[in-house]
Amino acid sequence: MSDALTSLTIAQAAAKLAAGETSSVELTDAHIAAMEAHRDLNAFITETPDLARARAAESDARRASGDARGPLDGIPIAMKDLFCTEGVLTTAASHILDGFTPTYESTVSRKLREVGTVMLGKANLDEFAMGSANVTSYYGPVKSPWKAADGKDRVPGGSSGGSATAVAANIAMAATGTDTGGSIRQPAAFCGIVGLKPTYGRCSRWGIVAFASSLDQAGPMTKTVEDAAIMLSAMAGYDPMDSTSADKPVPDFAAALTGDIKGLKVGIPIEYRVEGMPYEIEEAWQKGVEWLKDQGAEIVEVSLPHTKYALPTYYIVAPAEASSNLARYDGVRYGLRVEGGDLTEMYEATRGEGFGAEVRRRVLIGAYVLSAGYYDAYYLKAQKLRTLILRDFTDAFDKVDVLLTPTAPSAAFAIGEKMDDPVAMYLNDVFAVPASLAGLPAISVPGGLSSEGLPLGLHLIGRAFDEETVLRAGQALETAAGFTARPAGF
Amino acid sequence: MTYLIQGDDGDWEVVIGLEVHAQIVSNSKLFSGASTAFGGAPNSHVSLVDAAMPGMLPVVNRVCVEQAVRTGLGLNAKINLHSVFERKNYFYPDLPFGYQISQFQHPIVGEGVVTLDMPDGSVREIGIERLHMEQDAGKSMHDQDPKRTFVDLNRAGVALMEIVSKPDLRSPEEVGAYLRKLRSILRYLGTCDGNMEQGSLRCDANVSVRPKGSTELRTRCEIKNVNSVRFVMQAIEFEAERQVDIYDAGDTVDQETRLYDATTGETRSMRSKEEAHDYRYFPDPDLLPIDLSQEYVDKIRAALPELPDAKKLRFIDDYGIAPDDAGVLVAEQETAAFFEAVADGRDAKLAANWVIHELFAVLNKSGLDIDESPVSAESLGKLVGLIADNTISGRIAKDVFEIMVAEGGDPEAIVEEKGLKQITDTGAIEGEVDKIIAENPGQVEAYQGGNEKLIGWFVGQVMKATGGKANPKMVNELLRKKLS
């Protein structure tokens, strides 16, 4: 019974709730049981079962009195622990936010609360969302529910690794993620789920612990494309509290899922055929091309000539902004304070102890590229490249409606791999980062399994604020792929 | 009135540029809704944004942008339709974000000019380099506890305008005149209350010296945060002389930041160039650039009040007031308005005299502002009217004014009630004149013998006899006629 409940999609659960075949309390209890049964995955930093049950009961009461608030009312979800949640510990997976319980609710989590979702807990992540494997969390690494033939634990990807694992392991029916340079899409690909990064400005950043302000964007992580559309409709919308949020109407994204992609022009960027890409990635990509072609799409080769500069550009812009965004964690007002003999010692001790190695590395890189004498060579040049990368996409979208690429250059690797080589780790996001720099919507959809039996993701990038086309094409891939594989034991 | 410092080998000129931080008049802070009211309990005007809580984002206060544009227009400056907020990064406990949101490469206001009327009658035009908006920091209190520092974030995030002059100032007097003029313009515009005691107006001075006649710019020192016009002038004087002494000794001035100590009247080193921060400025990705339309700027321009320079010219042209007096009257908008109410339809020069001399004396003595004046503009106007139409003499007017200051009341009623109306009836005055002449044959003889100064004595006697109410001019004329 409870397995049956935890394997439901949002759309399915909503239908059952509407039909009175189940209740939110029942759904929530089943997911809480799954959460407790799979603590070994370390998908959550904070579990909030009491809160979840209370909100589930409220949802059932609303439904009983005919006031149900739509398809998400009563749906149990996981909240990435980067969203500030009123009265619930919020850590960003960092030691430096020890004991920080916000008095406020982020805009996105508030919107999800208002439509009736039930928060199961705060999902684990890479510290301050900096990572591609969810191994930098102060609260320990997250395990993917997927195991390869070698039996070694796999990373779920990152930074939204806890969210991806929770959805893949049927602990949460959906989860929120944030994506700065692939943090929704790459873990979605690694865990065999759907992950959507909306257009920059589509979802408010208010109340999300900032990593890199010009790149951070919240989005849904779900079992299906349809669920992603349902979640996005609730999460998106203009917020006057975020000056960079877009004052645009929010369409009913689920309504865009017509299943019809006849005549859709799909671009294949030639520069994404990177050297040394595993054959099975190339193969999965080719399969995606065929699936779309079979459904009537027109395939066009396009060039994004500045793609090779995207990763270095990203690793200048993101750390630069992070170095400044993280300056507020100084031990003065909240979170961790490690005392020192004087002010400087207090700062050094607090930040030295409070930040993990990867965060410290990025803060240092960021301070370096902004410093006098290096600003022009690094930060300014990166900004110019960012403009060129955006122009590549603008030119491509003159010819095509959507771009198809692999999500990541490999399947999930074993926990512990690539730990001593940050650049190898950064390469995970080589396909995800260009869309982040250009602020474009992009989705990862499961496209099949690797030879080791691990999920591989296909990646669609669309025009700014055209999530509808991205979702429609994503669903076409999903339908053709017929991805039904489950991690062993889940 | 050249200000020169005598060195061992000749005269030195001082070169000064000022950075004035003016708190923008607005109800809420530059990027948050928290109150800007002065004097609240510590940390009572602090929003989540001001405290830099995780995930909090700044949203620009449009009122502050409008105030900055208004100020730029008041300084005859170029308004930059495109400007950008940047982050100035440094750590300090009263700077919650770890950066100050400021403007750097693209300020909202560009070059402008402030005109100074110097006491010697010369006119100096001081260039404005730029004006930009930025956040104020909070306050660190080191004196509340022996071991700990307390932080009050009430000021954190309050909007400031930094107004940077060109290095056009050449003496402490010019600096004083510049600050007073700038303050006056800001107060006219309603963009800064100019209150230096409360820190609404603060000043950093960049000072260097050079041999007289040279055009070079030598190494400068920056004197930080001096909080009164007088102290700025003193600090510059000390600093210029210190630098001349250094050059005279054959040394060179080090570029550094210095603090002025009001108790010793000296400046001392705060940090050297090597210790200067690398602020790592970059555009704030949480905020969009400010893009204004010309229409928006024109609308603000159209609503500008008459500013001191224009008002002064008008006072000189329309009222025929001396330039110095006009300068005094326009320094504060309230004074100018008071004067105009007094002068309305009356003798403007007489009105100016009464405001500047009699009223100011009373206000200065009691430490009152003009809007707290015990005598209203309407009443003072009536008094001036009574003098002008010969109802009372200037001397009697002073008595009436004293009563008005002490007890209040309408001058016309006071004159009526106390019977102070001037005697202008020739017959009545003639009677008194004849009586005095008859009673004092000795003086009459002396006068007629050539001691014409005695006329004053005769006038005094008649005035005394009439209780000061006789029209002095008529008394004078009658006496001269009868004695000749």
mmCIF file of all heavy atoms in Angstrom, chain A residues 253-287:
data_model
loop_
_atom_site.group_PDB
_atom_site.id
_atom_site.type_symbol
_atom_site.label_atom_id
_atom_site.label_comp_id
_atom_site.label_asym_id
_atom_site.label_seq_id
_atom_site.Cartn_x
_atom_site.Cartn_y
_atom_site.Cartn_z
ATOM 1 N N PHE A 253 1.706 25.922 -17.240
ATOM 2 C CA PHE A 253 2.712 25.151 -17.988
ATOM 3 C C PHE A 253 2.208 23.769 -18.389
ATOM 4 O O PHE A 253 2.565 23.255 -19.439
ATOM 5 C CB PHE A 253 4.012 25.052 -17.174
ATOM 6 C CG PHE A 253 4.708 26.372 -17.023
ATOM 7 C CD1 PHE A 253 4.732 27.033 -15.800
ATOM 8 C CD2 PHE A 253 5.343 26.967 -18.103
ATOM 9 C CE1 PHE A 253 5.376 28.260 -15.661
ATOM 10 C CE2 PHE A 253 5.995 28.191 -17.977
ATOM 11 C CZ PHE A 253 6.008 28.832 -16.752
ATOM 12 N N ALA A 254 1.368 23.177 -17.527
ATOM 13 C CA ALA A 254 0.873 21.835 -17.858
ATOM 14 C C ALA A 254 0.035 21.860 -19.141
ATOM 15 O O ALA A 254 0.008 20.890 -19.908
ATOM 16 C CB ALA A 254 0.057 21.275 -16.693
ATOM 17 N N ALA A 255 -0.612 23.014 -19.378
ATOM 18 C CA ALA A 255 -1.452 23.129 -20.580
ATOM 19 C C ALA A 255 -0.622 23.117 -21.858
ATOM 20 O O ALA A 255 -1.139 22.864 -22.944
ATOM 21 C CB ALA A 255 -2.286 24.404 -20.510
ATOM 22 N N ALA A 256 0.687 23.403 -21.709
ATOM 23 C CA ALA A 256 1.555 23.423 -22.893
ATOM 24 C C ALA A 256 1.933 22.022 -23.350
ATOM 25 O O ALA A 256 2.509 21.832 -24.424
ATOM 26 C CB ALA A 256 2.828 24.220 -22.580
ATOM 27 N N LEU A 257 1.629 21.035 -22.519
ATOM 28 C CA LEU A 257 2.063 19.661 -22.827
ATOM 29 C C LEU A 257 1.057 19.006 -23.782
ATOM 30 O O LEU A 257 0.287 18.138 -23.405
ATOM 31 C CB LEU A 257 2.193 18.861 -21.530
ATOM 32 C CG LEU A 257 3.194 19.459 -20.532
ATOM 33 C CD1 LEU A 257 3.145 18.696 -19.219
ATOM 34 C CD2 LEU A 257 4.603 19.446 -21.104
ATOM 35 N N THR A 258 1.104 19.423 -25.025
ATOM 36 C CA THR A 258 0.135 18.943 -26.004
ATOM 37 C C THR A 258 0.550 17.617 -26.625
ATOM 38 O O THR A 258 -0.244 16.951 -27.282
ATOM 39 C CB THR A 258 -0.004 19.956 -27.142
ATOM 40 O OG1 THR A 258 1.297 20.122 -27.746
ATOM 41 C CG2 THR A 258 -0.504 21.301 -26.620
ATOM 42 N N GLY A 259 1.834 17.258 -26.457
ATOM 43 C CA GLY A 259 2.313 16.041 -27.082
ATOM 44 C C GLY A 259 2.635 16.207 -28.563
ATOM 45 O O GLY A 259 3.083 15.278 -29.215
ATOM 46 N N ASP A 260 2.416 17.416 -29.050
ATOM 47 C CA ASP A 260 2.623 17.657 -30.478
ATOM 48 C C ASP A 260 3.891 18.464 -30.723
ATOM 49 O O ASP A 260 3.956 19.637 -30.351
ATOM 50 C CB ASP A 260 1.403 18.405 -31.031
ATOM 51 C CG ASP A 260 1.548 18.686 -32.521
ATOM 52 O OD1 ASP A 260 2.515 18.172 -33.143
ATOM 53 O OD2 ASP A 260 0.706 19.427 -33.061
ATOM 54 N N ILE A 261 4.895 17.845 -31.324
ATOM 55 C CA ILE A 261 6.115 18.598 -31.643
ATOM 56 C C ILE A 261 6.374 18.609 -33.150
ATOM 57 O O ILE A 261 7.504 18.813 -33.597
ATOM 58 C CB ILE A 261 7.344 18.035 -30.884
ATOM 59 C CG1 ILE A 261 7.590 16.567 -31.226
ATOM 60 C CG2 ILE A 261 7.206 18.239 -29.386
ATOM 61 C CD1 ILE A 261 9.028 16.118 -30.972
ATOM 62 N N LYS A 262 5.325 18.377 -33.904
ATOM 63 C CA LYS A 262 5.489 18.398 -35.377
ATOM 64 C C LYS A 262 5.981 19.766 -35.822
ATOM 65 O O LYS A 262 5.435 20.801 -35.440
ATOM 66 C CB LYS A 262 4.152 18.087 -36.061
ATOM 67 C CG LYS A 262 3.864 16.612 -36.148
ATOM 68 C CD LYS A 262 2.664 16.307 -37.055
ATOM 69 C CE LYS A 262 2.136 14.924 -36.787
ATOM 70 N NZ LYS A 262 1.478 14.836 -35.446
ATOM 71 N N GLY A 263 7.038 19.751 -36.617
ATOM 72 C CA GLY A 263 7.571 20.993 -37.161
ATOM 73 C C GLY A 263 8.477 21.754 -36.200
ATOM 74 O O GLY A 263 9.042 22.786 -36.555
ATOM 75 N N LEU A 264 8.602 21.221 -34.975
ATOM 76 C CA LEU A 264 9.505 21.882 -34.009
ATOM 77 C C LEU A 264 10.940 21.789 -34.535
ATOM 78 O O LEU A 264 11.389 20.724 -34.960
ATOM 79 C CB LEU A 264 9.411 21.161 -32.648
ATOM 80 C CG LEU A 264 10.169 21.811 -31.491
ATOM 81 C CD1 LEU A 264 9.410 23.032 -30.985
ATOM 82 C CD2 LEU A 264 10.376 20.811 -30.347
ATOM 83 N N LYS A 265 11.632 22.909 -34.524
ATOM 84 C CA LYS A 265 13.021 22.916 -35.008
ATOM 85 C C LYS A 265 13.958 22.700 -33.818
ATOM 86 O O LYS A 265 14.000 23.509 -32.892
ATOM 87 C CB LYS A 265 13.323 24.239 -35.697
ATOM 88 C CG LYS A 265 12.577 24.412 -37.028
ATOM 89 C CD LYS A 265 13.255 25.487 -37.866
ATOM 90 C CE LYS A 265 12.634 25.600 -39.227
ATOM 91 N NZ LYS A 265 11.708 26.753 -39.340
ATOM 92 N N VAL A 266 14.676 21.581 -33.885
ATOM 93 C CA VAL A 266 15.568 21.219 -32.782
ATOM 94 C C VAL A 266 17.009 21.375 -33.234
ATOM 95 O O VAL A 266 17.439 20.754 -34.219
ATOM 96 C CB VAL A 266 15.313 19.764 -32.331
ATOM 97 C CG1 VAL A 266 16.279 19.375 -31.213
ATOM 98 C CG2 VAL A 266 13.866 19.587 -31.885
ATOM 99 N N GLY A 267 17.748 22.213 -32.517
ATOM 100 C CA GLY A 267 19.143 22.449 -32.870
ATOM 101 C C GLY A 267 20.075 21.485 -32.151
ATOM 102 O O GLY A 267 19.872 21.162 -30.977
ATOM 103 N N ILE A 268 21.083 21.005 -32.882
ATOM 104 C CA ILE A 268 22.116 20.153 -32.291
ATOM 105 C C ILE A 268 23.416 20.951 -32.338
ATOM 106 O O ILE A 268 24.004 21.138 -33.403
ATOM 107 C CB ILE A 268 22.287 18.833 -33.090
ATOM 108 C CG1 ILE A 268 20.934 18.132 -33.303
ATOM 109 C CG2 ILE A 268 23.302 17.924 -32.410
ATOM 110 C CD1 ILE A 268 20.222 17.744 -32.014
ATOM 111 N N PRO A 269 23.863 21.476 -31.190
ATOM 112 C CA PRO A 269 25.077 22.300 -31.206
ATOM 113 C C PRO A 269 26.331 21.443 -31.409
ATOM 114 O O PRO A 269 26.624 20.552 -30.602
ATOM 115 C CB PRO A 269 25.086 22.977 -29.838
ATOM 116 C CG PRO A 269 24.042 22.317 -29.005
ATOM 117 C CD PRO A 269 23.263 21.376 -29.841
ATOM 118 N N ILE A 270 27.030 21.719 -32.494
ATOM 119 C CA ILE A 270 28.172 20.858 -32.848
ATOM 120 C C ILE A 270 29.287 20.942 -31.807
ATOM 121 O O ILE A 270 29.990 19.972 -31.569
ATOM 122 C CB ILE A 270 28.716 21.201 -34.256
ATOM 123 C CG1 ILE A 270 28.946 22.713 -34.399
ATOM 124 C CG2 ILE A 270 27.756 20.718 -35.340
ATOM 125 C CD1 ILE A 270 29.571 23.105 -35.724
ATOM 126 N N GLU A 271 29.379 22.092 -31.154
ATOM 127 C CA GLU A 271 30.480 22.249 -30.185
ATOM 128 C C GLU A 271 30.293 21.387 -28.934
ATOM 129 O O GLU A 271 31.198 21.270 -28.106
ATOM 130 C CB GLU A 271 30.613 23.714 -29.766
ATOM 131 C CG GLU A 271 31.185 24.622 -30.842
ATOM 132 C CD GLU A 271 30.137 25.068 -31.855
ATOM 133 O OE1 GLU A 271 28.950 24.714 -31.692
ATOM 134 O OE2 GLU A 271 30.524 25.759 -32.808
ATOM 135 N N TYR A 272 29.108 20.805 -28.756
ATOM 136 C CA TYR A 272 28.890 19.985 -27.560
ATOM 137 C C TYR A 272 29.440 18.574 -27.745
ATOM 138 O O TYR A 272 29.379 17.759 -26.822
ATOM 139 C CB TYR A 272 27.392 19.944 -27.206
ATOM 140 C CG TYR A 272 26.928 21.187 -26.455
ATOM 141 C CD1 TYR A 272 27.118 22.452 -26.998
ATOM 142 C CD2 TYR A 272 26.311 21.093 -25.209
ATOM 143 C CE1 TYR A 272 26.696 23.589 -26.334
ATOM 144 C CE2 TYR A 272 25.883 22.231 -24.528
ATOM 145 C CZ TYR A 272 26.078 23.473 -25.094
ATOM 146 O OH TYR A 272 25.661 24.606 -24.433
ATOM 147 N N ARG A 273 29.948 18.264 -28.966
ATOM 148 C CA ARG A 273 30.606 16.967 -29.157
ATOM 149 C C ARG A 273 32.032 17.111 -28.623
ATOM 150 O O ARG A 273 32.961 17.275 -29.391
ATOM 151 C CB ARG A 273 30.652 16.599 -30.645
ATOM 152 C CG ARG A 273 29.307 16.249 -31.207
ATOM 153 C CD ARG A 273 29.382 15.198 -32.297
ATOM 154 N NE ARG A 273 28.020 14.848 -32.692
ATOM 155 C CZ ARG A 273 27.286 15.594 -33.539
ATOM 156 N NH1 ARG A 273 27.807 16.655 -34.128
ATOM 157 N NH2 ARG A 273 26.052 15.230 -33.824
ATOM 158 N N VAL A 274 32.154 17.096 -27.314
ATOM 159 C CA VAL A 274 33.479 17.344 -26.735
ATOM 160 C C VAL A 274 34.361 16.113 -26.848
ATOM 161 O O VAL A 274 33.876 14.968 -26.853
ATOM 162 C CB VAL A 274 33.392 17.798 -25.257
ATOM 163 C CG1 VAL A 274 32.732 19.166 -25.179
ATOM 164 C CG2 VAL A 274 32.632 16.792 -24.411
ATOM 165 N N GLU A 275 35.633 16.385 -26.932
ATOM 166 C CA GLU A 275 36.611 15.314 -27.051
ATOM 167 C C GLU A 275 36.583 14.440 -25.807
ATOM 168 O O GLU A 275 36.461 14.954 -24.692
ATOM 169 C CB GLU A 275 38.010 15.924 -27.217
ATOM 170 C CG GLU A 275 38.923 15.089 -28.062
ATOM 171 C CD GLU A 275 40.237 15.820 -28.308
ATOM 172 O OE1 GLU A 275 40.187 16.994 -28.742
ATOM 173 O OE2 GLU A 275 41.285 15.218 -28.050
ATOM 174 N N GLY A 276 36.675 13.158 -26.022
ATOM 175 C CA GLY A 276 36.744 12.242 -24.892
ATOM 176 C C GLY A 276 35.397 11.946 -24.274
ATOM 177 O O GLY A 276 35.312 11.321 -23.203
ATOM 178 N N MET A 277 34.320 12.386 -24.935
ATOM 179 C CA MET A 277 32.997 12.087 -24.389
ATOM 180 C C MET A 277 32.724 10.596 -24.558
ATOM 181 O O MET A 277 32.921 10.047 -25.646
ATOM 182 C CB MET A 277 31.939 12.914 -25.138
ATOM 183 C CG MET A 277 30.554 12.801 -24.557
ATOM 184 S SD MET A 277 29.498 14.177 -25.064
ATOM 185 C CE MET A 277 29.163 13.719 -26.761
ATOM 186 N N PRO A 278 32.256 9.941 -23.492
ATOM 187 C CA PRO A 278 32.034 8.498 -23.596
ATOM 188 C C PRO A 278 31.039 8.168 -24.706
ATOM 189 O O PRO A 278 30.104 8.933 -24.961
ATOM 190 C CB PRO A 278 31.448 8.122 -22.230
ATOM 191 C CG PRO A 278 31.787 9.242 -21.323
ATOM 192 C CD PRO A 278 31.928 10.466 -22.169
ATOM 193 N N TYR A 279 31.279 7.033 -25.339
ATOM 194 C CA TYR A 279 30.447 6.634 -26.469
ATOM 195 C C TYR A 279 28.983 6.553 -26.069
ATOM 196 O O TYR A 279 28.101 6.967 -26.825
ATOM 197 C CB TYR A 279 30.923 5.283 -27.026
ATOM 198 C CG TYR A 279 29.992 4.746 -28.091
ATOM 199 C CD1 TYR A 279 29.928 5.351 -29.356
ATOM 200 C CD2 TYR A 279 29.160 3.659 -27.830
ATOM 201 C CE1 TYR A 279 29.061 4.887 -30.323
ATOM 202 C CE2 TYR A 279 28.282 3.191 -28.793
ATOM 203 C CZ TYR A 279 28.225 3.809 -30.045
ATOM 204 O OH TYR A 279 27.354 3.350 -30.983
ATOM 205 N N GLU A 280 28.718 6.054 -24.851
ATOM 206 C CA GLU A 280 27.311 5.869 -24.468
ATOM 207 C C GLU A 280 26.564 7.191 -24.288
ATOM 208 O O GLU A 280 25.356 7.234 -24.424
ATOM 209 C CB GLU A 280 27.182 4.987 -23.229
ATOM 210 C CG GLU A 280 27.906 5.508 -22.001
ATOM 211 C CD GLU A 280 27.955 4.450 -20.903
ATOM 212 O OE1 GLU A 280 27.714 3.277 -21.199
ATOM 213 O OE2 GLU A 280 28.249 4.829 -19.756
ATOM 214 N N ILE A 281 27.308 8.237 -24.023
ATOM 215 C CA ILE A 281 26.675 9.565 -23.943
ATOM 216 C C ILE A 281 26.291 10.010 -25.355
ATOM 217 O O ILE A 281 25.167 10.456 -25.618
ATOM 218 C CB ILE A 281 27.645 10.596 -23.299
ATOM 219 C CG1 ILE A 281 28.041 10.158 -21.880
ATOM 220 C CG2 ILE A 281 27.026 11.997 -23.320
ATOM 221 C CD1 ILE A 281 26.948 10.250 -20.858
ATOM 222 N N GLU A 282 27.246 9.863 -26.246
ATOM 223 C CA GLU A 282 27.021 10.180 -27.659
ATOM 224 C C GLU A 282 25.818 9.390 -28.191
ATOM 225 O O GLU A 282 24.953 9.916 -28.899
ATOM 226 C CB GLU A 282 28.314 9.823 -28.418
ATOM 227 C CG GLU A 282 28.237 9.944 -29.931
ATOM 228 C CD GLU A 282 28.276 11.403 -30.407
ATOM 229 O OE1 GLU A 282 29.112 12.145 -29.868
ATOM 230 O OE2 GLU A 282 27.465 11.758 -31.280
ATOM 231 N N GLU A 283 25.774 8.128 -27.792
ATOM 232 C CA GLU A 283 24.716 7.233 -28.259
ATOM 233 C C GLU A 283 23.342 7.676 -27.726
ATOM 234 O O GLU A 283 22.353 7.705 -28.454
ATOM 235 C CB GLU A 283 25.032 5.814 -27.766
ATOM 236 C CG GLU A 283 24.275 4.730 -28.469
ATOM 237 C CD GLU A 283 24.621 3.344 -27.880
ATOM 238 O OE1 GLU A 283 24.851 3.258 -26.646
ATOM 239 O OE2 GLU A 283 24.670 2.388 -28.652
ATOM 240 N N ALA A 284 23.324 8.011 -26.459
ATOM 241 C CA ALA A 284 22.060 8.466 -25.849
ATOM 242 C C ALA A 284 21.572 9.736 -26.527
ATOM 243 O O ALA A 284 20.377 9.911 -26.788
ATOM 244 C CB ALA A 284 22.261 8.708 -24.347
ATOM 245 N N TRP A 285 22.516 10.612 -26.817
ATOM 246 C CA TRP A 285 22.205 11.878 -27.481
ATOM 247 C C TRP A 285 21.586 11.593 -28.858
ATOM 248 O O TRP A 285 20.570 12.158 -29.238
ATOM 249 C CB TRP A 285 23.503 12.696 -27.613
ATOM 250 C CG TRP A 285 23.339 14.123 -28.070
ATOM 251 C CD1 TRP A 285 22.195 14.823 -28.239
ATOM 252 C CD2 TRP A 285 24.416 15.016 -28.396
ATOM 253 N NE1 TRP A 285 22.473 16.098 -28.655
ATOM 254 C CE2 TRP A 285 23.831 16.258 -28.756
ATOM 255 C CE3 TRP A 285 25.809 14.904 -28.399
ATOM 256 C CZ2 TRP A 285 24.589 17.356 -29.143
ATOM 257 C CZ3 TRP A 285 26.570 15.995 -28.780
ATOM 258 C CH2 TRP A 285 25.963 17.222 -29.141
ATOM 259 N N GLN A 286 22.234 10.680 -29.579
ATOM 260 C CA GLN A 286 21.765 10.322 -30.919
ATOM 261 C C GLN A 286 20.352 9.733 -30.857
ATOM 262 O O GLN A 286 19.501 10.024 -31.686
ATOM 263 C CB GLN A 286 22.750 9.330 -31.564
ATOM 264 C CG GLN A 286 22.584 9.205 -33.084
ATOM 265 C CD GLN A 286 22.537 10.584 -33.774
ATOM 266 O OE1 GLN A 286 23.362 11.452 -33.488
ATOM 267 N NE2 GLN A 286 21.540 10.796 -34.633
ATOM 268 N N LYS A 287 20.117 8.935 -29.803
ATOM 269 C CA LYS A 287 18.783 8.357 -29.627
ATOM 270 C C LYS A 287 17.749 9.465 -29.443
ATOM 271 O O LYS A 287 16.663 9.426 -30.021
ATOM 272 C CB LYS A 287 18.768 7.430 -28.391
ATOM 273 C CG LYS A 287 18.808 5.938 -28.754
ATOM 274 C CD LYS A 287 18.379 5.113 -27.554
ATOM 275 C CE LYS A 287 19.581 4.395 -26.971
ATOM 276 N NZ LYS A 287 19.301 3.722 -25.689
#
